[in-house]
């Protein structure tokens, strides 16, 4: 009879072992370690033949990512074995010891209600396609002064610009290993002024960037082996203010926009000279480039256009299809001819043409004067009334300020802020699409005619991007939506936890840049069938990139009753328990009270101020107790009247903790005063969101329903997302200034009233002021909630509520309670606990957990009396109660859930007790120690896994190959000869009967034909633009299956080049009149293909005129002689390869 195995592995573990043991290597000690990644990660191109044993030993060593994979796999197996073994037999396992020492818990009913459910988490988010994490969400505190603000893709690179320089990712290295979670990148030298915009220039091999200091900088795409610290090639001062936008026209000119309607053009001829000079010569040429600009705004001082073009040029867009340039302000557009540089049209966001100043766009300050008059009138009348009537009317006036502010904002120009244009893009079919701050998407034709609009999401649009037949839309809410060219919504998902501020295309991905600096790549085929396959494959390898971290959290709550604690009390409460914890959360109630203080606190809250001297004293004392600086760092705090919350993090954990946000919700005096309410602090720990909320609810035995209502109000309305200013962008600055004046007056009145001894009126006036602000803030509350409309606390992976909840004991007398406490009969007392009964009924703290209470009631005591004899013995004899509590909710939806990426935060309670020896207040401080397991993703390993899946999975490779097919096309000719004002037609036929063909025509370069008929070297123009004598329309488009597209190849008559110095025209020069030749490249791609099939078409312009200089202005030229070469006929070729063969027979350099 065979002996049973020592360890009985279940099927899941067996599958993991078999999947991970197809290859192996041997470490120096001789131990065989299984690794299926070692051979796959060692590509033949990197391996080199070795002739010695040392080389063999070196080549057999695993990579860092291999070791991490094995470590995570062993961790996964350890958890599996722990569960199979009953979860508690291994005394040396930290997870086992935590579960052994954890306290039993009570779970409230109502956790199945969607609002109280843990947020949905998974190895691959089920609500969105799998993404390539180029740069995982960085902690905000680590990005101060270096946030990324713009992104642009080139053929082989991804460029980003930030507040302190630029970064470059090579597409070929996106899946490679890195020490941090970010894909390998190169970074410029530090100290570069903030980047505001960028544009790629494939023709010149550079990237242009605009900066806050008004300069335009040139960056070479070729790094020449530099890994970091590279510098710009050259730079010049383009504007006095920041450069807000850049684009490259169809003719290679660089356009730049700035504040107050400033728009300049930098001719390609000037830029070309700077690009081809050496470093030593460049500094002189840069000065020439700087002075060669064309000030377009100064050229249009007719018909009132110059007065209209006075808003910031936020967007510049090159229409390569029809050789135009769009410029956009907040509420208007201008359309320019890229060839002649003339202004064609100015129109507003409604499509109405503007030829003069529209006075409706000028802010109307009449309402502001009306409000000021009312203030003066009311003040004079109030002086004649009684004191109480005066203050009552002051309160009413303050409450009415919000309505007055709204009226002013609606009638002034600021009311149109929600309609302003935020983004613009041109699709392959030549249509222009704009996105507005109110979420509206508008389609325009190439002539500036408004066609139709769409509205799919209420949040503001931040960016637009296009690839093939899809339009990608990025919203302020972090949502990304995908539309087709008809405006139909194909799909959408939450791409980031913060606004999507920019997007770029490259290497088959659409890259989204979030406001927090994270970058994700989404497959251009998304949404589609491929997403499900990738998600399934990636989720199946979860155990290879999942890391479990364990930390302890100490949470403490104390109603200090306006007293100050001794150092010994703080040591007993916090210092003695903080030795091995990573995070300390402290919540205090009644730090400072009184009607005067509450009123002043409410007034300060209305203008964004908080805190007090007493609150600062507590922070400093607790910091000293925790040895702040040497052991802990305080990461954040928030005070609302007498409520105070603060969080300290141990130094060795600080690098993994950040994104700290705070919030406050008043519940007293009509939800306006902070004598009752809550303060919260949200923090990201190991990339998981944790919220800590300190509460003080309604008092008195009978106020159970009010306490329940307080919790519900706090849970639903606590908003950690603060607007950029007091009221958000939609209100504008005018309402802010008006209400600030009102509040300043109210604070002064409050002080007078407080001095006169009318504290109740003080609170009343303050409540009116805060109510006015609450009314304004409520209008912007939608943007603070999650996309699904759920409260922000619902989106946290772990929530800890602590504080003086004020729930009492029902159905028991003072003496009975004292007797039970003295006998430590806490089980019987818990049955009388109001909070436990309400949680059991699902009326409050739905789905939350609390450890069994094994300590005496913490309220109410006589100060400075030791022991249980200190319970209230005064006239009221308040019944002892567990007012001070600590509850929590983690990621578990069921009791048996283990820590994984599906359930990323699993907690247990190791200690829950009251410090009965502390006598400084009428409440006893309570503390709770949590042992928390956090599952996080190793993004570097996960990114490698994604690359291996895409590169090795046969099914995925087959689908991608099919999706990326390029339709077969042919061109009508490969050789065109034109004379002055000639127009030839180039025809491109899509021979594919199923798929659309997407084409773009660029110019490979221009050369001069010598007398012997040979062409000189060709040099491409910026962004592969056309020479000025050539016009190609349409240069982009879609060819339906079995259809033919026609393009016009037109020669411009007597084109001249104009030289500018400091924006003033100096001379007119005729272009070189020798025969010119260009090679047009017709790039054809499929719907999802990143690569192209190219057709090369030679275009030659023939004439016999010579170059001559004309001063001041051009003279009329005589007729141009005909060409000397025979004109070619259109040829119908069987395929694009025949064109290449024909080109080989022509003379070419």
């Amino acid at each position: 009879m065979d002996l049973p195995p020592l360890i009985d592995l279940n099927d899941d573990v067996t599958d993991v072992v078999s999947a991970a043991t197809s290859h192996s290597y041997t470490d120096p000690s001789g131990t065989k370690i299984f690794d299926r990644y070692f051979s796959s990660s060692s590509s033949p191109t990197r391996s080199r033949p070795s002739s010695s044993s040392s080389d063999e030993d070196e080549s057999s060593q695993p990579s860092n990512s291999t070791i991490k994979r094995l470590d995570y796999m062993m961790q996964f197996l350890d958890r599996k074995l722990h569960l199979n073994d009953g979860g508690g037999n291994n005394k040396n396992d930290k997870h086992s010891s935590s579960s052994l020492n954890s306290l039993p818990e009570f779970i409230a009913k109502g956790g199945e209600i969607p609002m109280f459910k843990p947020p949905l988490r998974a190895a691959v988010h089920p609500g969105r396609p799998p993404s390539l994490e180029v740069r995982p969400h960085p902690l905000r505190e680590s990005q101060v002064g270096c946030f990324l603000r713009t992104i642009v893709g080139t053929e082989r690179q991804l460029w980003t610009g930030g507040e302190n320089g630029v970064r470059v990712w090579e597409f070929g290295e996106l899946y490679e290993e890195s020490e941090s979670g970010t894909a390998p990148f190169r970074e410029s030298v530090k100290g570069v002024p903030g980047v505001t915009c960028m544009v790629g220039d494939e023709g010149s091999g550079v990237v242009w960037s605009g900066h806050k200091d008004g300069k335009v900088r040139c960056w070479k795409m070729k790094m020449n082996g530099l890994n970091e610290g590279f510098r710009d090639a050259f730079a010049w001062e383009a504007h006095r203010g920041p450069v807000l936008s850049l684009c490259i026209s169809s003719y290679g000119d660089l356009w730049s926009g700035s504040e107050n309607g400033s728009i300049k053009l930098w001719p390609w001829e000037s830029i070309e000279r700077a690009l081809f000079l050496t470093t030593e010569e460049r500094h002189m040429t840069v000065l020439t480039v700087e002075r060669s600009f064309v000030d377009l705004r100064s050229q249009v001082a007719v018909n009132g256009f110059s007065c209209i073009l006075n808003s910031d040029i936020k967007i510049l867009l090159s229409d390569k299809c029809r050789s135009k340039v769009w410029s956009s302000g907040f509420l208007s557009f201008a359309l320019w001819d890229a060839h002649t540089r003339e202004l064609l049209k100015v129109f507003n966001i409604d499509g109405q043409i503007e030829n003069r100043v529209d006075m409706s766009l000028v802010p109307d300050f009449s309402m502001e004067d009306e409000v000021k008059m009312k203030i003066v009138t009311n003040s004079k009348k109030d002086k004649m009334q009684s004191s109480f009537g005066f203050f009552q009317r002051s309160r009413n006036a303050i409450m009415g300020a919000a309505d007055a502010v709204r009226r002013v904002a609606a009638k002034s120009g600021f009311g149109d802020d929600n309609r302003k244009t935020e983004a613009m893009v041109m699709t392959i079919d030549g249509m222009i699409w704009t996105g507005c701050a109110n979420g509206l998407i508008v389609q325009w034709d190439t002539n500036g005619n408004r066609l139709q609009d769409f509205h799919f999401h209420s949040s503001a649009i931040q960016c637009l991007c296009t690839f093939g037949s899809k339009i990608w839309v990025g919203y302020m809410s972090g949502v990304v939506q995908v539309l087709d060219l008809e405006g139909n919504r194909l799909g959408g998902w939450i791409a980031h936890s913060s606004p999507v501020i920019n997007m770029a295309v490259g290497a088959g991905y659409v890259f989204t840049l979030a406001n927090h600096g994270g970058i994700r790549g989404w497959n251009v085929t998304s949404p589609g069938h491929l997403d499900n396959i990738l998600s399934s494959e990636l989720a199946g390898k979860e155990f290879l990139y999942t890391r479990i971290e364990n930390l302890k959290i100490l949470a403490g709550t104390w109603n200090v009753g306006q007293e100050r604690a001794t150092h010994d009390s703080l040591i007993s409460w916090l210092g003695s328990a903080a030795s091995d914890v990573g995070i300390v959360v402290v919540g205090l109630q009644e730090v400072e009270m009184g009607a005067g203080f509450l009123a002043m606190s409410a007034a300060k809250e209305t203008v964004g101020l908080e805190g007090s001297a007493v609150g600062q004293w507590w922070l400093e004392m607790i910091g000293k107790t925790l040895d702040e600086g040497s052991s802990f760092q305080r990461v954040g705090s928030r005070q609302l009247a007498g409520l105070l919350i603060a969080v300290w993090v141990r130094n060795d954990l600080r690098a993994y903790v950040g994104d700290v946000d705070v919030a406050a919700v008043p519940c007293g005096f009509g939800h306006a005063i902070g004598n009752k309410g809550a303060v919260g602090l949200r923090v990201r720990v190991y990339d998981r969101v944790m919220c800590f909320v300190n509460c003080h609810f309604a008092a008195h035995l009978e106020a159970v329903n009010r306490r329940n209502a307080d919790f519900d109000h706090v849970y639903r309305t606590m908003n950690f997302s603060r607007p950029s200013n007091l009221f958000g962008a939609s209100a504008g600055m005018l309402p802010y200034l008006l209400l600030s004046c009102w509040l300043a007056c109210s604070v002064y009145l409050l002080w007078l009233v407080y001095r006169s001894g009318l504290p109740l009126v003080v609170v009343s006036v303050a409540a009116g002021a805060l109510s006015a602000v609450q009314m304004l803030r409520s209008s912007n509350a939608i943007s603070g909630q999650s996309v699904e409309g759920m409260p922000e606390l619902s989106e946290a992976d772990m929530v800890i509520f602590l504080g003086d909840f004020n729930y009492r004991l029902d159905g028991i007398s003072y003496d009975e309670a004292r007797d039970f406490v003295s006998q430590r009969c806490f089980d019987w007392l818990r049955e009388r606990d109001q909070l436990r009964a309400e949680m059991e009924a699902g009326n409050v703290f739905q789905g939350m957990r609390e450890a069994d209470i094994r300590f005496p009631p913490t309220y109410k005591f006589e100060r400075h009396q030791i022991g249980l004899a200190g319970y209230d013995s005064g006239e009221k004899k308040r019944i002892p109660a567990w007012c001070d509590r600590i509850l929590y909710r983690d990621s578990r939806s069921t009791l048996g859930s283990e820590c994984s990426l599906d359930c990323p935060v699993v907690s247990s309670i190791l200690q829950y007790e009251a410090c009965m020896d502390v006598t400084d207040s009428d409440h006893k401080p309570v503390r709770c120690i949590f042992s928390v397991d956090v599952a996080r993703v190793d993004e570097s390993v996960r990114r490698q896994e994604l690359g291996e899946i895409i590169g090795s999975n046969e099914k995925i490779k087959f689908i991608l190959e099919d999706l990326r097919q390029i339709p077969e096309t042919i061109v009508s000719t490969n050789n065109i000869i034109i004379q002055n004002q000639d127009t030839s037609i180039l025809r491109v036929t899509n021979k594919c009967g199923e798929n659309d063909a997407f084409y773009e025509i660029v110019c490979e370069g221009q050369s001069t034909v010598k007398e012997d008929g040979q062409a000189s070297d060709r040099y491409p123009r910026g962004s592969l633009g056309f020479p000025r004598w050539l016009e190609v329309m349409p240069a982009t488009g879609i060819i339906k299956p079995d259809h033919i597209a026609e393009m016009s190849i037109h020669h411009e008559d007597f084109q001249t080049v104009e030289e500018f110095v400091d924006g003033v025209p100096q001379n007119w020069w005729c272009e070189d009149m020798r025969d010119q030749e260009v090679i047009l490249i017709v790039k054809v791609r499929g719907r999802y293909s990143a690569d192209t099939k190219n057709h090369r078409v030679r275009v030659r312009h023939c004439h016999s005129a010579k170059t001559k200089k004309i001063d001041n202005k051009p003279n009329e030229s005589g007729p141009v002689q005909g060409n000397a070469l025979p004109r070619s006929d259109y040829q119908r070729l069987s395929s694009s390869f025949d064109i290449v063969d024909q080109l080989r027979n022509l003379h070419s350099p």
Side-chain angles (χ1 to χ4, degrees):
M1 181 177 178
D2 297 333
L3 294 175
L6 295 178
I7 300 177
D8 184 17
L9 298 175
N10 61 15
D11 293 337
D12 293 338
V13 179
T14 306
D15 292 341
V16 170
V17 174
S18 62
T21 57
S22 58
H23 298 281
S24 64
Y25 71 92
T26 305
D27 70 357
S29 64
T31 303
K32 179 174 285 189
I33 302 176
F34 298 103
D35 176 29
R36 68 181 178 88
Y37 301 95
F38 175 64
S39 59
S40 64
S41 61
S42 302
S43 61
T45 57
R46 294 188 180 184
S47 61
R48 54 185 175 85
S50 57
S51 57
S52 63
S53 59
S54 60
D55 291 338
E56 294 178 359
D57 293 340
E58 182 179 355
S59 63
S60 65
Q61 295 303 313
S63 65
N64 186 39
S65 63
T66 297
I67 295 175
K68 289 197 290 187
R69 283 182 172 105
L70 290 170
D71 183 30
Y72 302 153
M73 185 187 70
M74 296 304 295
Q75 196 178 49
F76 172 81
L77 293 174
D78 180 62
R79 296 196 306 273
K80 283 286 185 180
L81 294 175
H82 169 65
L83 290 177
N84 294 338
D85 198 34
N89 294 332
N90 185 1
K91 300 292 184 179
N92 297 323
D93 180 57
K94 64 180 180 181
H95 304 289
S96 301
S97 59
S98 297
S99 60
L100 280 175
N101 298 328
S102 61
L103 301 177
E105 298 175 1
F106 171 79
I107 306 176
K109 298 289 181 61
E112 71 282 355
I113 300 174
M115 184 174 66
F116 300 106
K117 280 184 177 181
L120 184 62
R121 299 287 187 260
V124 180
H125 198 290
R128 64 186 179 214
S131 61
L132 174 64
E133 293 284 345
V134 178
R135 189 183 191 227
H137 179 168
L139 296 177
R140 185 191 314 130
E141 291 76 6
S142 67
Q143 300 300 299
V144 175
C146 57
F147 278 99
L148 301 183
R149 286 294 172 247
T150 186
I151 187 171
V152 66
T154 65
E155 187 176 345
R156 296 182 176 86
Q157 296 171 327
L158 182 69
W159 288 70
T160 61
E163 298 174 338
N164 199 28
V166 301
R167 295 186 179 188
V168 186
W169 282 266
E170 299 286 342
F171 288 144
E173 301 175 355
L174 288 182
Y175 299 112
E176 290 190 4
E177 179 183 350
S178 62
E179 292 296 330
S180 62
T182 303
F185 65 91
R186 296 170 177 83
E187 191 171 13
S188 69
V189 295
K190 301 292 185 182
V192 177
V195 181
T196 54
C197 53
M198 301 181 82
V199 62
D201 187 350
E202 295 285 355
S204 305
V206 301
V207 170
W208 304 98
S209 60
H211 297 259
K212 290 182 177 180
D213 62 353
K215 288 188 176 182
V216 172
R217 287 175 167 81
C218 174
W219 308 87
K220 292 287 187 180
M221 292 183 184
K222 292 184 179 180
M223 297 296 169
N224 297 325
L226 292 176
N227 290 328
E228 59 182 15
F230 61 90
R231 298 180 179 275
D232 58 84
F234 60 92
W236 71 89
E237 186 174 353
H239 297 273
R240 294 182 178 179
V243 181
L244 301 180
S245 53
L246 289 172
C247 81
I248 300 176
S249 73
S250 300
Y251 297 96
D253 300 328
L254 182 64
W255 294 51
S256 63
S258 184
E259 297 174 334
N260 301 320
S262 176
I263 180 170
K264 296 181 179 179
L265 179 150
W266 312 91
W268 161 250
E269 291 76 16
S270 300
I271 295 175
E272 183 183 26
R273 289 193 291 268
L275 289 173
F276 289 95
L277 291 176
T278 63
T279 306
E280 292 76 13
E281 300 170 322
R282 192 165 292 156
H283 70 281
M284 298 183 61
T285 307
V286 167
L287 181 59
T288 304
V289 174
E290 183 176 321
R291 303 184 64 185
S292 68
F293 68 88
V294 180
D295 190 348
L296 297 177
R297 189 166 179 264
S298 65
Q299 309 293 316
V300 289
V302 294
N303 296 329
F305 279 134
S306 59
C307 297
I308 295 175
L309 300 175
N310 56 8
S311 62
D312 297 347
I313 307 298
K314 288 193 59 181
I315 305 170
L316 284 171
L317 176 68
S318 178
D319 179 356
K320 297 294 182 69
C321 182
R322 298 287 177 179
S323 300
K324 297 177 181 178
V325 174
W326 289 59
S327 64
S328 171
F330 287 115
L331 302 173
S332 62
F333 303 97
L335 188 58
W336 307 79
D337 189 316
H339 187 265
T340 63
R341 304 166 184 171
E342 295 178 353
L343 180 62
L344 303 177
K345 184 180 181 181
V346 177
F347 50 100
N348 62 20
I349 55 179
D350 296 319
Q352 299 173 350
I353 299 177
E354 298 181 352
N355 291 321
R356 57 187 178 82
V357 178
D358 186 355
M359 297 306 295
S360 65
L361 298 179
V362 180
D364 180 11
F365 295 97
S366 58
M367 180 57 66
E368 182 180 4
D369 296 334
E370 178 183 347
V371 173
K372 289 181 178 179
M373 183 64 71
K374 287 183 179 180
I375 296 176
V376 175
T377 304
N378 288 338
S379 299
K380 291 181 178 180
K381 290 182 179 179
D382 287 341
K383 290 181 180 180
M384 303 172 63
Q385 305 297 328
S386 63
S387 298
F388 181 68
F390 166 75
F391 295 121
Q392 184 65 37
R393 276 187 290 273
S394 298
R395 174 185 180 276
N396 294 337
I398 295 172
M399 293 188 67
D403 291 331
V405 166
R406 285 199 195 94
R407 290 195 300 270
V408 174
K411 291 188 177 182
S412 66
F414 299 103
D416 286 330
D417 277 4
N418 65 334
R419 302 180 62 207
K420 66 183 180 181
T421 302
E422 296 286 356
M424 182 183 295
V425 71
M426 189 196 81
T427 50
I428 192 72
D429 59 353
M431 294 293 105
I432 306 297
W433 296 77
T434 59
C436 306
N438 59 1
L440 194 68
I441 304 170
V442 184
Q443 183 187 27
W444 309 76
D445 67 13
T446 188
N447 295 318
N449 299 313
R450 180 166 175 158
L451 301 180
Q452 54 185 335
D453 53 68
F454 309 88
H455 199 270
F456 300 108
H457 191 48
S458 59
S459 180
I461 294 174
Q462 295 292 288
C463 52
L464 293 170
C465 185
T466 182
F467 183 84
S469 61
K470 291 182 177 179
I471 305 169
W472 293 63
V473 187
Y475 290 92
M476 176 75 77
S477 62
V479 167
V480 162
Q481 290 184 344
V482 184
L483 316 178
D484 62 18
L485 296 182
E486 282 70 44
N488 301 310
R489 182 179 178 273
L490 303 178
W493 56 87
I494 303 175
H496 296 275
S497 59
S498 67
V500 181
I501 60 176
N502 214 333
M503 292 189 285
V505 178
Y509 286 98
V510 174
F511 297 96
T512 55
L513 171 63
N515 190 54
H516 54 55
I519 303 175
R520 282 177 174 158
W522 311 92
N523 201 297
V524 293
T525 63
S526 298
H529 177 59
L530 184 62
D531 297 334
N532 297 329
I533 302 175
L534 279 173
S535 297
S536 177
E537 291 290 327
L538 199 56
K541 298 184 178 183
E542 170 187 354
F543 64 94
L544 292 170
Y545 52 80
T546 302
R547 178 168 183 170
I548 306 297
E549 306 284 357
N550 179 266
L551 72 150
K552 292 181 180 179
I553 299 177
L554 169 61
T557 176
W558 191 8
N559 185 324
V560 298
Q562 305 183 69
E563 298 289 340
R564 300 196 182 193
T566 64
H567 180 67
D568 292 340
S569 297
L570 294 177
I571 290 292
S572 175
W573 176 36
L574 300 174
S576 59
S579 58
D580 61 343
V581 300
I583 299 176
V584 177
V585 184
V586 175
L588 303 176
Q589 306 86 44
E590 296 189 13
V591 169
E592 197 170 355
M593 299 294 284
F597 171 76
L598 293 176
M600 294 302 296
S601 175
K604 289 167 62 178
E605 286 282 336
T606 60
V607 291
L609 301 177
E610 53 100 2
S612 67
V614 177
Q616 186 62 35
W617 180 90
W618 277 99
L619 294 176
E620 293 175 358
M621 289 299 297
I622 295 174
K624 291 179 181 179
T625 304
L626 298 176
D627 194 17
E628 183 176 340
S630 300
S631 302
F632 286 89
Q633 294 184 34
R634 177 159 55 92
V635 296
S637 63
R638 180 67 163 96
Q639 184 174 356
L640 171 67
L643 286 163
L644 176 64
I645 190 171
V647 173
W648 284 263
V649 174
R650 192 170 290 277
N651 291 339
D652 57 2
L653 188 64
R654 184 65 183 88
Y656 306 100
V657 179
D659 285 0
V660 179
D661 292 306
V662 294
V665 178
C667 291
F669 230 84
H671 295 165
I673 300 298
N675 61 318
K676 295 294 186 291
V679 286
L681 191 145
R682 182 175 62 187
V683 65
R684 184 177 293 272
V685 182
Y686 290 126
D687 205 36
R688 300 300 175 185
V689 178
M690 298 184 181
C691 292
F692 311 107
V693 185
N694 174 30
C695 305
H696 193 188
F697 295 155
H700 305 302
L701 178 67
E702 68 281 359
V704 176
N705 292 333
R706 287 178 55 196
R707 286 188 278 273
N708 294 349
D710 285 348
F711 165 78
D712 188 72
H713 178 65
V714 168
Y715 194 89
R716 291 176 183 272
T717 63
M718 180 160 281
N719 185 356
F720 294 93
S721 302
R722 287 187 169 184
S724 58
N725 56 47
L726 185 60
F727 308 108
S730 63
M733 287 301 296
L734 184 58
Y736 171 77
L737 294 175
L738 286 175
L739 193 53
S740 295
C741 294
W742 277 100
L743 295 175
C745 296
S746 67
V747 171
Y748 177 70
L749 293 174
L750 293 174
W751 174 249
L752 293 179
V753 175
Y754 179 67
R755 296 282 292 181
S756 64
L758 297 175
L760 292 179
V761 180
V762 173
V763 177
S764 178
V765 176
L770 192 56
S771 297
V773 175
Q774 294 288 342
M775 291 166 63
L776 280 178
R777 287 175 175 171
S778 64
S779 63
N780 296 323
I782 296 178
S783 63
Q785 292 190 350
S786 61
V787 177
E788 298 85 356
M790 301 290 283
E792 290 196 2
L793 289 175
S794 300
E795 299 300 315
D797 296 288
M798 184 175 185
V799 181
I800 296 179
F801 274 85
L802 65 159
D804 180 4
F805 301 156
N806 256 324
Y807 286 90
R808 309 300 173 90
L809 297 181
D810 265 335
I812 190 172
S813 66
Y814 172 81
D815 293 329
E816 289 175 332
R818 289 288 302 268
D819 290 341
F820 280 113
V821 170
S822 62
Q823 299 173 24
R824 303 191 68 84
C825 295
F826 301 141
D827 292 340
W828 193 90
L829 286 178
R830 279 198 300 267
E831 296 178 2
R832 299 289 188 270
D833 180 34
Q834 290 178 343
L835 178 56
R836 184 65 61 95
E838 294 299 309
M839 292 173 66
E840 179 69 30
N843 296 330
V844 72
F845 292 106
Q846 290 85 344
M848 296 195 180
R849 304 164 182 257
E850 183 185 27
D852 283 350
I853 300 177
R854 300 176 179 177
F855 53 85
T858 57
Y859 174 84
K860 179 184 182 184
F861 288 85
E862 299 288 343
R863 289 179 174 86
H864 308 299
Q865 289 194 18
I866 300 176
L868 299 180
Y871 280 111
D872 184 17
S873 58
E875 180 181 352
K876 294 184 178 180
K877 288 191 176 180
R878 294 179 177 86
I879 301 172
W882 286 297
C883 293
D884 310 285
R885 312 285 276 271
I886 301 176
L887 292 78
Y888 81 101
R889 187 266 296 161
D890 57 14
S891 299
R892 287 176 292 176
S893 56
T894 60
L895 287 175
S897 301
E898 63 171 307
C899 187
S900 65
L901 295 183
D902 296 334
C903 182
V905 179
V906 175
S907 178
S908 60
I909 297 179
L910 304 181
Q911 185 182 108
Y912 189 33
E913 59 186 9
C915 300
M916 305 303 294
D917 59 329
V918 176
T919 62
D920 301 290
S921 171
D922 56 350
H923 289 251
K924 299 296 184 183
V926 176
R927 67 187 178 204
C928 183
I929 298 180
F930 299 87
S931 176
V932 184
D933 288 335
V934 181
R936 67 186 182 103
V937 174
D938 188 320
E939 294 294 353
S940 178
V941 175
R942 184 182 184 274
R943 192 171 54 250
Q944 291 180 10
E945 286 293 329
L946 178 62
E948 290 181 7
I949 291 171
I950 295 175
S952 62
N953 188 288
E954 294 299 327
K955 186 176 182 180
I956 293 176
K957 290 169 64 177
F958 176 79
I959 294 176
L960 284 175
E961 183 178 352
D962 182 63
L963 291 174
R964 293 173 178 173
Q965 283 187 356
I966 302 176
E968 182 182 0
T969 55
I970 59 173
V971 295
S972 59
T973 182
N974 65 328
N975 185 26
I976 298 176
I977 299 176
I978 56 177
Q979 296 177 336
N980 286 353
Q981 300 187 39
D982 269 359
T983 299
S984 295
I985 302 299
L986 177 67
R987 296 178 177 88
V988 181
T989 303
N990 181 5
K991 297 186 65 177
C992 177
E994 298 179 355
N995 301 320
D996 294 342
F998 301 82
Y999 76 88
E1000 178 187 9
I1001 302 178
V1002 298
C1003 182
E1004 187 181 62
Q1006 174 179 301
S1007 58
T1008 301
V1009 180
K1010 303 176 183 178
E1011 294 181 358
D1012 58 0
Q1014 298 292 324
S1016 61
D1017 294 337
R1018 290 187 299 271
Y1019 296 100
R1021 298 173 76 90
S1023 193
L1024 304 179
F1026 305 114
R1028 297 199 178 279
W1029 55 267
L1030 185 65
E1031 182 182 73
V1032 179
M1033 287 189 184
T1036 65
I1038 304 175
I1039 311 175
K1040 297 296 182 181
D1042 295 324
H1043 278 65
I1044 300 175
E1046 294 185 346
M1047 301 92 188
S1048 168
I1049 311 298
H1050 176 71
H1051 176 263
E1052 287 291 331
D1053 182 33
F1054 195 64
Q1055 179 59 38
T1056 59
V1057 178
E1058 192 175 13
E1059 288 189 355
F1060 282 78
V1061 177
D1062 295 333
V1064 180
Q1066 301 296 313
N1067 297 310
W1068 294 78
W1069 293 82
C1070 292
E1071 282 194 344
D1072 194 343
M1073 294 303 176
R1074 292 175 293 179
D1075 292 351
Q1076 304 292 326
E1077 182 180 281
V1078 297
I1079 299 295
L1080 298 182
I1081 300 180
V1082 183
K1083 295 185 174 183
V1084 180
R1085 71 175 74 242
R1087 186 180 300 272
Y1088 298 116
S1089 58
D1091 299 327
T1092 61
K1093 287 184 179 179
N1094 299 334
H1095 304 280
R1096 297 163 61 88
V1097 179
R1098 182 189 302 266
V1099 178
R1100 179 175 293 187
H1101 172 232
C1102 299
H1103 53 71
S1104 59
K1106 299 299 179 181
T1107 305
K1108 59 181 180 178
K1109 180 177 178 180
I1110 305 174
D1111 294 330
N1112 298 328
K1113 62 179 181 178
N1115 297 324
E1116 296 294 328
S1117 62
V1120 180
Q1121 298 180 4
N1123 59 53
L1125 295 177
R1127 193 169 175 179
S1128 64
D1129 296 328
Y1130 292 138
Q1131 305 177 43
R1132 291 194 175 274
L1133 304 176
S1134 60
S1135 70
S1136 59
F1137 299 102
D1138 294 336
I1139 299 175
V1140 178
D1141 294 335
Q1142 293 288 332
L1143 285 172
R1144 288 176 181 154
N1145 297 327
L1146 296 175
H1147 296 291
S1148 60

